[in-house]
Amino acid sequence: MAAFFSKFFPYFTKHWDDMGELLLDHLQIAFTVLGISLIVSAGLSILIYRSEFLSTAVLGLFGAIYSIPSLALFSVLVPLLGLGKPSAVFALVLYLQYILIRNILAGFHAISPAVLEAGAGMGLSPAQLFLRIRLPLALPIIIGGMRIAIVAAIGMTVIAATINAGGLGMLLFEGLRTHYPVKIVWGTLLCAGITWIANSLMYEIEKYCLKKANGELPAKEVIKSIYGKKVA
Amino acid sequence: MTMDLNQKKNDVPVLKFQRVAKRFPNAQINAVNDVSFSVNRGDFITILGRSGSGKTTLLKMVNRIHEMTAGDIFFEGENIKNLNLQDYRRRVGYVIQQIGLFPHMTVAENIATVPSVLKWEKTRIDTRVDVLLTLVGLDPAEYRNRYPGKLSGGQQQRVGLARAMAAEPDLMLMDEPFGALDAITRQTLQDELVKIQQKLNTTILFVTHDIQEAFKLGDRVIIMDEGEIQQYATPINILFEPANDFVSQLVSAEDAVQKLKVLRAGAIASDLGFQTKSGDLRIDKDVYLDKVLARFFETRAEYFVVTGKDGQPIGQISWEQFKNFAQFRKDGVDSKKEAV
Ligand SMILES: Nc1ncnc2c1ncn2[C@@H]1O[C@H](COP(=O)(O)OP(=O)(O)OP(=O)(O)O)[C@@H](O)[C@H]1O
Ligand SMILES: [Mg+2]
């Protein structure tokens, strides 16, 4: 134990630049995955939104993929896309579809039909209805999905190191292979740290959007009247 | 030129149904069947009928939430199928039963919805919002920046009404707007709606399944059953000349006292026939007959002079005549006067 602690901090002072690189690499993979996933899931959601049959079918398919262990999925993809980042990103995008599509659909379906009928009946165009009514009301649930997706992406990126995709998993697995607990602990700590930060950040955004959707934020006019006077 | 245009606008019915029918996909029968009627500018029309009689379907065909499957609807003389859907809907105020306020927008933002898509100037919108809030009995300073979640049911209903009136629509569609309210709030809002309607001369199509409400509010009442119009007439006409068994059964359930509550002085006034004196007691044509009865008892007057919109005498009600009427003998009524 004492041996562990005598190496723990010196390891950091010696290797902080390598660790930083792995950390950035990790974040880069996770956010690339998230970005691509968002675009794909938004597109798919638009295609299937109106059809209950398609919604069930597509969610069922991605639900099944989501239940495949990541290691297994990586191994299937390596022969097709090779070792490294492309396979990892592809697999993770597949995984996140379930979480994201499920929440996007849930977000839009949770909007009261009366609210939509009122909006359409008053003559809002489909685009106005989407931007002014649908999106702000669906956003809290969508952001909630993004929060879970980010956490999942950061976690699964660790596993992606097994197919040489880079990131903090490299540190962790190297530690495992070489029986070097200090590396394992640093890898775990950094990973948990960014997960925690990402989760907390998204949680705040989610809370803000929820308050906005429920009409619990102070009205813009009120904010203006408070700050407007101070500035003037 | 403008005169001509206005003249034309007044002659053409605001709304005209021509053999309109609606069959929902997979339905065996028409929800609305072969309906024809027209509505003139400034009319307050109520649509009365049992649950499932097709009232909502009829109303929603007007703003094309439901598409008719046969017939034509004309808005100010134009076939609504030829109008740009969004532009048209912005000219038709819509109050739905479930209110449907936007929960993420303040009261002011809700009310400003149509004016803002019509790109009104901000100052004009702000003024309009305050005018409307005052009109529906909410203090602008207090309610402008509230969110719908922090309003009572009655207040939400008022905001819904203000929102529908925001861009000065030519026609208002209201689907059981007061359905979910307690009796007292409901009555207050009914009275306010009548006042607003008379002040602005708005044309209103108002769905209800409450016979009292239909007769109290409507200048004319459309009685619907099984997707068809059973009768379209003034309240007094429906009460005294029901068109068929269905209507007579519907109205016979109303006792004499109830009838006094839904008919107005103007409906039973007879010709003046004499020069009014300064001592004559006057009564507005829109006062309900139960109030008229109360005033006969209060004042022990022999007759009242009935006055119109501008306070001009337009007829009289004598106690003798009122007594006859209150016993609901049909000969107590001059049926030509009912349309006042
Ligand atoms: N979207 C729909 N799809 C299929 N059938 C419908 C639809 N909306 C209404 N109907 C049917 O059309 C008929 C008329 O319904 P409508 O809603 O117009 O009745 P209503 O008079 O408004 O009744 P209520 O007083 O209960 O609101 C009913 O038989 C109803 O089941
Ligand atoms: Mg209805």
Side-chain angles (χ1 to χ4, degrees), chain A residues 114-115 117-126 128 132-133 136-137 212-222, chain B residues 60 63 65 86 89-90 92 94 96 98 100-106 109 113-114 116-117 122 145 147 150 163:
Chain A
V115 164
E117 189 185 313
M122 285 192 295
L124 295 184
S125 67
Q128 287 165 339
R132 293 178 186 221
I133 315 290
L137 291 180
K212 176 74 197 143
N214 291 341
E216 285 163 1
L217 290 177
K220 261 185 259 155
E221 295 297 317
V222 175
Chain B
K60 287 185 182 177
N63 61 1
I65 300 271
Q86 266 91 45
R89 281 176 170 172
R90 288 168 195 170
V92 178
Y94 185 39
I96 62 172
Q98 309 87 337
L101 294 182
F102 308 134
H104 60 303
M105 295 185 188
T106 61
E109 288 165 343
T113 306
V114 180
S116 87
V117 299
K122 187 171 169 358
N145 295 321
Y147 283 96
K150 299 200 171 55
R163 182 175 68 172

Side-chain angles (χ1 to χ4, degrees), chain B residues 24 31 50-57 176:
Chain B
F24 286 105
R50 298 184 288 203
S51 185
S53 58
K55 307 181 295 292
T56 297
T57 309
E176 307 204 28

Side-chain angles (χ1 to χ4, degrees), chain B residues 36-257:
Chain B
S36 303
F37 67 94
S38 61
V39 176
N40 293 323
R41 189 162 302 279
D43 276 354
F44 194 142
I45 307 293
T46 51
I47 303 173
L48 175 68
R50 298 184 288 203
S51 185
S53 58
K55 307 181 295 292
T56 297
T57 309
L58 183 90
L59 197 75
K60 287 185 182 177
M61 282 192 287
V62 176
N63 61 1
R64 296 182 64 187
I65 300 271
H66 290 330
E67 292 290 351
M68 65 197 112
T69 44
D72 288 294
I73 298 175
F74 298 90
F75 176 71
E76 294 181 339
E78 293 195 69
N79 194 320
I80 61 170
K81 284 174 193 156
N82 301 334
L83 297 172
N84 173 287
L85 183 61
Q86 266 91 45
D87 291 343
Y88 166 55
R89 281 176 170 172
R90 288 168 195 170
R91 294 165 63 193
V92 178
Y94 185 39
V95 183
I96 62 172
Q97 181 167 5
Q98 309 87 337
I99 314 178
L101 294 182
F102 308 134
H104 60 303
M105 295 185 188
T106 61
V107 165
E109 288 165 343
N110 264 280
I111 296 175
T113 306
V114 180
S116 87
V117 299
L118 290 175
K119 306 235 158 43
W120 286 18
E121 270 176 38
K122 187 171 169 358
T123 45
R124 184 177 173 206
I125 294 180
D126 290 347
T127 321
R128 182 76 184 146
V129 166
D130 287 1
V131 167
L132 285 164
L133 279 173
T134 312
L135 197 66
V136 298
L138 295 173
D139 174 19
E142 174 152 8
Y143 291 99
R144 208 187 289 125
N145 295 321
R146 283 236 201 143
Y147 283 96
K150 299 200 171 55
L151 298 175
S152 73
Q155 290 166 341
Q156 290 183 20
Q157 207 59 264
R158 286 164 200 259
V159 176
L161 188 60
R163 182 175 68 172
M165 294 192 299
E168 293 161 3
D170 301 308
L171 172 67
M172 295 257 288
L173 307 175
M174 309 181 72
D175 193 356
E176 307 204 28
F178 308 143
L181 301 176
D182 63 274
I184 295 171
T185 313
R186 183 182 181 128
Q187 201 158 8
T188 316
L189 277 177
Q190 285 172 348
D191 294 342
E192 276 167 27
L193 181 62
V194 168
K195 267 191 231 145
I196 291 169
Q197 195 263 343
Q198 284 172 352
K199 195 166 151 192
L200 307 179
N201 201 32
T202 320
T203 313
I204 297 181
L205 215 56
F206 184 109
V207 164
T208 175
H209 61 244
D210 182 318
I211 187 167
Q212 279 257 16
E213 186 168 70
F215 282 27
K216 177 179 170 184
L217 297 179
D219 300 317
R220 290 203 272 170
V221 182
I222 291 176
I223 296 190
M224 296 268 303
D225 197 44
E226 304 194 326
E228 292 182 4
I229 293 185
Q230 304 297 319
Q231 191 166 8
Y232 177 31
T234 57
I236 194 159
N237 233 338
I238 289 172
L239 287 174
F240 292 103
E241 285 162 31
N244 55 35
D245 286 351
F246 177 81
V247 180
S248 63
Q249 231 167 4
L250 186 82
V251 297
S252 68
E254 293 288 279
D255 64 27
V257 180

